[in-house]
Amino acid sequence: MKIKVIAPIISDIFNKEMLEEFSAYASSETKVAVANLSYGPASVESEYDEALCIPNFLEKAKEAEAEGYDGVISNCFGDPGVKPAREILDIPVIGPCEASLLITSSLAKSFSVVTVLPNVVTMIENISKTTGVSEKLASVRYVNIPVLEVHEKDRLKAALYEEMVKAIEQDHAHALVLGCTGFMGVAAELQAKLKDNGYDVPVIDPAFAATKMVETLVSMGVKQSRLTYMTPPSKQRVMN
Amino acid sequence: MKIKVIAPIISDIFNKEMLEEFSAYASSETKVAVANLSYGPASVESEYDEALCIPNFLEKAKEAEAEGYDGVISNCFGDPGVKPAREILDIPVIGPCEASLLITSSLAKSFSVVTVLPNVVTMIENISKTTGVSEKLASVRYVNIPVLEVHEKDRLKAALYEEMVKAIEQDHAHALVLGCTGFMGVAAELQAKLKDNGYDVPVIDPAFAATKMVETLVSMGVKQSRLTYMTPPSKQRVMN
Amino acid sequence: MKIKVIAPIISDIFNKEMLEEFSAYASSETKVAVANLSYGPASVESEYDEALCIPNFLEKAKEAEAEGYDGVISNCFGDPGVKPAREILDIPVIGPCEASLLITSSLAKSFSVVTVLPNVVTMIENISKTTGVSEKLASVRYVNIPVLEVHEKDRLKAALYEEMVKAIEQDHAHALVLGCTGFMGVAAELQAKLKDNGYDVPVIDPAFAATKMVETLVSMGVKQSRLTYMTPPSKQRVMN
Amino acid sequence: MKIKVIAPIISDIFNKEMLEEFSAYASSETKVAVANLSYGPASVESEYDEALCIPNFLEKAKEAEAEGYDGVISNCFGDPGVKPAREILDIPVIGPCEASLLITSSLAKSFSVVTVLPNVVTMIENISKTTGVSEKLASVRYVNIPVLEVHEKDRLKAALYEEMVKAIEQDHAHALVLGCTGFMGVAAELQAKLKDNGYDVPVIDPAFAATKMVETLVSMGVKQSRLTYMTPPSKQRVMN
Amino acid sequence: MKIKVIAPIISDIFNKEMLEEFSAYASSETKVAVANLSYGPASVESEYDEALCIPNFLEKAKEAEAEGYDGVISNCFGDPGVKPAREILDIPVIGPCEASLLITSSLAKSFSVVTVLPNVVTMIENISKTTGVSEKLASVRYVNIPVLEVHEKDRLKAALYEEMVKAIEQDHAHALVLGCTGFMGVAAELQAKLKDNGYDVPVIDPAFAATKMVETLVSMGVKQSRLTYMTPPSKQRVMN
Amino acid sequence: MKIKVIAPIISDIFNKEMLEEFSAYASSETKVAVANLSYGPASVESEYDEALCIPNFLEKAKEAEAEGYDGVISNCFGDPGVKPAREILDIPVIGPCEASLLITSSLAKSFSVVTVLPNVVTMIENISKTTGVSEKLASVRYVNIPVLEVHEKDRLKAALYEEMVKAIEQDHAHALVLGCTGFMGVAAELQAKLKDNGYDVPVIDPAFAATKMVETLVSMGVKQSRLTYMTPPSKQRVMN
């Protein structure tokens, strides 16, 4: 199985870590490739950034299918372009937010997301509504660290831990979802630290969740429903 | 008050009728201008078309604010670009779908939307969920006529009437919303025909609803909340 | 267009300010008249008061229609008599609570109402449920000032501001609705003060919202659905 | 225990049958009295009728408490006046609709109400929303027989049976609630006929349900919460 | 009427108090008997305990029907075995949790449950979801006292009172439900103490609620719907 | 990774096919073992059967953990024993119903389950409620074939196909879930037949879904939250 992970940003600074992480998430039978955009925003932290990243993401996703990939991940927690890509591709397209929310739903009666900035809170809540699991979403918290600074891992982990404890104590979260695909390589450590402090709860890495969901769908031989994601009618479409 | 109506499509064939209709909808104190896109799709009938129309729509919306307009309408029933435009503009931005669903909610316990094609049904249902009125949405029906053929008014009206009666009789709709901004100039006639046949129910023209909603917000001196629609962080954004 | 605003109380102390305010809210093409009740309560602050004010409100509303008015507003935030008046009138009947909740729904993902007394909190929550927007209602807060004391504007504004900040900080409200039609002439100042303090959120005046909603419906040529608000069967009805 | 059943109508034609039926519903330890209104509508079949019956119902309810009754029933399926009466009385006040919906909720995953006329369908749905059990309400059907004709028992039973079967077969109702307190003395026979035809489902008589709910509350020593139903503030209230 | 109360535990230490309490709850026309299990857990404080207590509970419930009882109560707040017992019995089967939640729904817009341990919180929330009243459940709080220590009445009452005040002040509960059937004989005293401290809210004893609900159903001549609780198909079933 | 699949029935007739199927579902790195019960029902088709199968399932699940398995599947679509097993095991425990509903939620806006008998419809609906995806459940349909006859594959496939088409056409399902783990080896063929007939929708095999979900959780290093599934308190528990 071949999976293409597309970071919907023009920056390639995450690519190396992404390739390492996704290769580790995937089963030994899966071959992973990563890509980023030719045009669009440097990072995705608003509806505005999402709007600007989607056109090129759709081109890259279409290319991935033509290259023979079996599944595509839009590697941003806002799941940008997932819905339109499902309309134009015949292979599974997965977003890390939706995948995380669904997998976490099998582990706990409620969960919180901890993300980067307040700007994306409503966006994540809206995904929970259209995914259908908004009842279980206890809260969306944020560390107030921009995407392009999340590589400062110690600062990030300290801030995430603080918000996770608040999510459990104040919002009654019973599980935690990392709300940014830039939060790589910290889930296991945070889960262990929480357990050491008396909170035996799962911490979900969204990129990991997206990888397993794509592998699941490909191996099951299923893809998005054509009744929900219908093929767009033919027409003139002028690219800039 | 000055309102800019932006049709998020490259075709200008609707512009003349749009200008006439919106000028008639607006109060005598409101000045209306219309525009269409420089690049994007010929019509919007899928998530894919929406994704392609939004970048230039955002540029046009930004221009409208710079030109001194008091409010902007994204003139397509899928409300494309409304959320990101609200983030980057300081004047009200309104979509016809959201405006129609809210105004209709004050008239009836339930309503149906009758739109163009099955491709956009889920998109409209998702807007009802994030708007918060999905409980009142009895159904989304469609006439199976592409946007670029809706100028055949007799065929359109016959098809709309048929689906409207089904919405009332089978789906228990108590009010009706026209689900395409291309359905211009037919609401009053359909409402009268339904009444003549024993169905005394309101029929909402979405472009009319969007006009009155923008006028309402501008005259009340309010605009979108900056807590829901935060200003995007500064960063590099490369346009194609 | 002619609009009749009926305060469902026997006191006429608000009439002068009401006429000034509503005339300012309305467009220049709209003619506003105000009225109060011949019998009923001095103010409406409970389900009990609502029950006592409705019979005479319905008579006054019926009179307004006979006098040629195009729309009626029940000028109390509990929307007393709106539902039965819709059954017996053929012109739009609007309540300030429903109108406010719907208009605010287009501005923010969530909102709080700040009202007079704890007595009316459940009543307002119930309106949000039957209007269909209860998901967006973050909280109903109150200033603990009876209706007949709300003319003390400085005390009122200070108390409203305090609760508004709590609604934003503690209840995650992204917009605010003034929960009493006696809170006249304070919305713009409170919105400005909130913005000066870092909260760029809309503050909705319910009487203003009701005015624009009636004007919207009248200009669109629509009224309440006869399937939701059916004409009452003929029968003997003995007034006291 | 002494229970006062108040029919919120001016007609006394149901009083004799009401006294017989309620006496049979009540346990041998309970003493039942019935009353009707001095002014108001001949029957309750609209929001308009409800509005007109409530003021005198509240006076009669207040009298009942003064006379030493332990509980009051508003004997109409629209539960008119129940909420305001709970504010002004210190004894339990029960409406047959709410009582029926709650008791039926313990018997089946879903239920339908079969009522008199289409005019009251939305009213009943709204009660299910504020009671909190709207998820279980499969449908509200009607026999199209006005309240003042429901004494034609054979016609009534035939019409009810027909709608009950439709509720089960088409709306997936698993239990049935008679949606008018004028439908006296038919529940057991309809339940038996349904069972003979293969539908082993409960049929709830709303007057019976209201009686048992009042007896339950009185015997448990509980009444309405003063946090939900607060005592109305003192003020001038002018009766007609 | 004869009612059998089955405590789904092997311990008989509650039997004497149970018989006294239930006899006091029941009307003078009802004859109460109590029983406990032959095998199963010493108390029920987890899904695991529930699973272990149900098989013998079902045998005891079947016996009760054979002995001529008119109704059965599963005397534990987790309502263990109620659903399967409804499938195999032709008399009403009631659980204290469901009965309490439904009766309390007629008294207040919201309520909290105060139970024994955190272990059963999710279980109680799930019952509120399948019963259909989860919207009204403000919170489930706990006193952190195991079932087998609830006989220490002073400690219990102090802990319950503290959590009840928090439920009102912090969770906006307007009524309170005791969340363990071992909390016998304390509801009235707690209700009085709350009232003395300014909280005039009902406190519901779940065993009392279950008794009145069974009496209600038996006297109304109704039982669980066979469409929701179908008779299990015949087959081989090997008991341990 | 080692997975134990426990069929919660005394019959071993499915074991051979189960082992073949689950081995094919699992990745090459996963080792699968199957088991059935020592006591309990011959098949699970009611709440009653579920109650009887759970005690021995819990013993078998506990054994599996002791034997070093990394995850356990309760191989019945009612997910019997999953919740209590999660309390007493420290490895992931998965039910096919919950796993299917969550995975299908990533493929379509709505789905229907097609199961064996009407007896289990409410049970499946209740799982959708506690899992949190009930909004997306279009319907639960059944083929009216008992579990022990589902090996008649041609009859089964014909009946499933018929109900699947009804689910799409009448209930607006956009994806389909096989509602019995005995429906082995038919999903792919049914999906292909539906596609050939114009319905390009995914068909989910619940045993396949459960396998991929367990593999996902084990590889991610997560298990059920101890806040939702707390360890049961120590106490005496007498097995029969």
Side-chain angles (χ1 to χ4, degrees), chain E residues 83-160:
Chain E
K83 286 185 195 317
R86 284 174 177 166
E87 290 180 343
I88 59 170
L89 267 64
D90 274 314
I91 55 174
V93 180
I94 284 295
C97 181
E98 189 186 74
S100 302
L101 300 188
L102 291 170
I103 287 170
T104 311
S105 291
S106 72
L107 296 171
K109 74 148 191 179
S110 63
F111 47 80
S112 287
V113 171
V114 186
T115 187
V116 278
L117 296 175
N119 306 54
V120 296
V121 169
T122 303
M123 205 184 303
I124 292 168
E125 291 173 345
N126 283 343
I127 295 174
S128 82
K129 284 181 193 162
T130 52
T131 301
V133 297
S134 58
E135 271 181 49
K136 294 194 133 183
L137 183 63
S139 62
V140 183
R141 290 184 163 270
Y142 50 90
V143 289
N144 239 343
I145 300 175
V147 170
L148 298 178
E149 296 175 23
V150 298
H151 54 86
E152 300 171 24
K153 288 285 155 84
D154 287 341
R155 174 183 166 209
L156 174 66
K157 284 185 286 187
L160 284 170

Side-chain angles (χ1 to χ4, degrees), chain C residues 33-187:
Chain C
V34 303
N36 63 291
L37 300 190
S38 307
Y39 61 98
S43 64
V44 178
E45 297 166 327
S46 60
E47 296 270 358
Y48 181 56
D49 290 331
E50 287 217 349
L52 297 189
C53 79
I54 294 176
N56 192 224
F57 168 78
L58 293 173
E59 293 170 309
K60 301 283 183 186
K62 199 75 193 157
E63 273 172 42
E65 185 178 38
E67 291 161 6
Y69 284 92
D70 298 297
V72 165
I73 292 170
S74 172
N75 196 37
C76 170
F77 200 76
D79 295 355
V82 166
K83 285 184 195 319
R86 284 176 176 164
E87 291 179 342
I88 60 170
L89 266 65
D90 274 313
I91 55 174
V93 181
I94 284 294
C97 181
E98 189 187 74
S100 305
L101 300 187
L102 291 170
I103 287 171
T104 311
S105 292
S106 71
L107 297 171
K109 74 148 192 180
S110 62
F111 48 79
S112 286
V113 171
V114 186
T115 188
V116 280
L117 296 175
N119 306 56
V120 295
V121 169
T122 303
M123 205 184 302
I124 291 168
E125 291 173 344
N126 283 343
I127 295 174
S128 83
K129 283 181 194 161
T130 53
T131 300
V133 296
S134 58
E135 270 181 49
K136 295 194 133 185
L137 183 64
S139 62
V140 182
R141 290 184 163 269
Y142 50 90
V143 289
N144 240 343
I145 300 176
V147 170
L148 298 177
E149 296 175 23
V150 297
H151 55 86
E152 300 171 24
K153 290 280 155 88
D154 287 341
R155 175 183 166 209
L156 174 65
K157 285 186 285 189
L160 284 169
Y161 183 77
E162 192 179 338
E163 292 303 319
M164 283 171 162
V165 171
K166 283 188 203 157
I168 294 168
E169 292 290 348
Q170 296 175 24
D171 311 333
H172 305 296
H174 285 196
L176 296 156
V177 178
L178 296 176
C180 175
T181 53
F183 294 168
M184 283 181 277
V186 300

Side-chain angles (χ1 to χ4, degrees), chain D residues 94-157:
Chain D
I94 284 294
C97 180
E98 190 186 74
S100 303
L101 300 188
L102 291 170
I103 288 171
T104 312
S105 291
S106 72
L107 297 171
K109 72 148 192 178
S110 64
F111 47 79
S112 287
V113 172
V114 187
T115 187
V116 279
L117 296 175
N119 306 55
V120 296
V121 169
T122 303
M123 205 183 302
I124 292 167
E125 290 173 344
N126 283 344
I127 294 173
S128 82
K129 284 180 193 163
T130 52
T131 301
V133 295
S134 57
E135 270 181 50
K136 294 194 133 182
L137 183 62
S139 63
V140 183
R141 291 184 162 269
Y142 50 90
V143 290
N144 240 341
I145 300 175
V147 170
L148 298 178
E149 297 175 22
V150 298
H151 54 86
E152 300 171 25
K153 290 281 157 86
D154 287 341
R155 175 184 163 206
L156 174 66
K157 286 185 285 188

Side-chain angles (χ1 to χ4, degrees), chain D residues 15-30:
Chain D
N15 286 17
K16 184 166 171 293
E17 191 178 0
M18 272 169 56
L19 186 58
E20 288 167 10
E21 290 287 336
F22 278 92
S23 299
Y25 301 150
S27 84
S28 61
E29 297 154 13
T30 302

